[in-house]
Amino acid sequence: MADALSLVDDWGPEKIVVVSHRRTGMKGVLVIDNTARGIGKGGTRMSPTVTVGEVARLARVMTWKWAGVDLFYGGAKAGIVADPASRDKEAILRAFARALSNEVPREYVMGLDMGLTESDAAIIQDELGDRGAAVGTPEHLGGVAYDKLGVTGYGVAEAADAAARRSGLSLSGCRVAIQGFGAVGAAAAARFAELGATVVAVSTARGALHDPGGLDVPALLAAREEHGDDFVGRHARGEVLASGRELTVDCDILVPAALQDVIDDRTAHLIKAGLVVEGANLPTSPAAQEILAGRGVTVLPDFVANAGGVVAAAFAMDARYSGFRPETATIFETISTRLRANAVTVLDEAERRGTTPHTAGLGLAEERVRTAMRSKGRLPG
């Protein structure tokens, strides 16, 4: 427990709950980071490598993401140490939900993250007998279909367009490289294409596909639907590269939309893009951010660029006990409006303060959280 205590700072975590269940082998953790602006809300992930430190780090990202987009929920995250492909997944998930019944949904509402599906969200609701226990359920149960709608990727492209326009660059004709072609990367590619950009590279765990003249995004989406990650080797157009090479191809905008910590102090020197838009959580190390800033490369932070998912989640949170689904058009309109405005605000603040967008954006989010903590008497007198 000393390790968990070492995670505590001026912001949180407010609560770390470690749970287990002997019969199913379930082990998991919930980290509620900061609830000054509202109830804890963040995704639940399932992976054999989940750690308390990882979940705490992601819970803190949610604190800043909610504050950054100025929506009134608190930062939280949960993780289950298990293989999501396990045939015991449902039993493990139900045991996890039961173990957290004191916290869910009074202090934390579960959502989807790596390894969980819409059906898993429905199982959580069923296990606890409460529609408010989780969001991200299937459409036929009244849920907002994040992945089907592609809300996060849509928001990434909208934020990128706003950042590009601010620097006098038209997205039409811009060359875009995207790491990851899952739910976020694929939706981002589709929206970039609609906005007139040229997608020159995409990647999956099986490798990267690169064509300086531009890839056929609708064909890529169809190939992904048919072949999954293997579409990289089956697609007729483009050169197949090793995974990771897509980060350093010649392009105007780079979107790391797969894993965290992929751009480090070594990779930062090789980036050719003038604008990096973080589609994944924590893809760029602090050292890399400083290097990129020194090279004149703008980095739009994850808690700004990929906040389309949290905007949609806010609609889902409001609709948990409603008999009506949120209007899809309203969700997309709100994502576009908020993310475009936030992108410009953060970049303007970074320029005004002479610092990186991460530092500027974090400063804005911190001030919102600090103000809420002060109003609720949570700060020293």
Side-chain angles (χ1 to χ4, degrees), residues 153-229:
Y154 176 88
V156 167
E158 292 289 296
D161 188 31
R165 288 174 182 270
R166 179 187 174 278
S167 63
L169 184 66
S170 171
L171 205 59
S172 179
C174 269
R175 298 163 301 157
V176 181
I178 302 173
Q179 182 186 54
F181 207 64
V184 176
R191 184 56 178 162
F192 274 119
E194 289 174 353
L195 293 171
T198 300
V199 177
V200 297
V202 299
S203 72
T204 73
R206 300 287 192 271
L209 196 61
H210 176 231
D211 186 342
L215 295 165
D216 184 336
V217 173
L220 288 179
L221 295 172
R224 171 180 174 267
E225 186 70 24
E226 182 177 358
H227 302 295
D229 283 357

Side-chain angles (χ1 to χ4, degrees), residues 352-377:
R352 185 184 70 81
R353 294 174 54 181
T355 188
T356 67
H358 279 82
T359 300
L362 182 59
L364 289 171
E366 285 180 348
E367 186 52 39
R368 287 170 179 168
V369 174
R370 186 182 293 108
T371 299
M373 293 174 72
R374 186 178 297 114
S375 294
K376 292 184 174 182

Side-chain angles (χ1 to χ4, degrees), residues 6-28:
S6 71
L7 297 172
V8 178
D9 60 18
D10 290 345
W11 306 102
E14 295 172 5
K15 179 181 285 191
I16 299 176
V17 184
V18 176
V19 294
S20 65
H21 186 252
R22 177 74 173 173
R23 183 174 178 182
T24 61
M26 180 276 293
K27 293 189 294 183

Side-chain angles (χ1 to χ4, degrees), residues 30-47:
L30 164 65
V31 177
I32 299 176
D33 185 59
N34 189 297
T35 59
R37 286 172 56 91
I39 184 176
K41 174 69 192 77
T44 301
R45 60 174 44 190
M46 181 180 284
S47 166

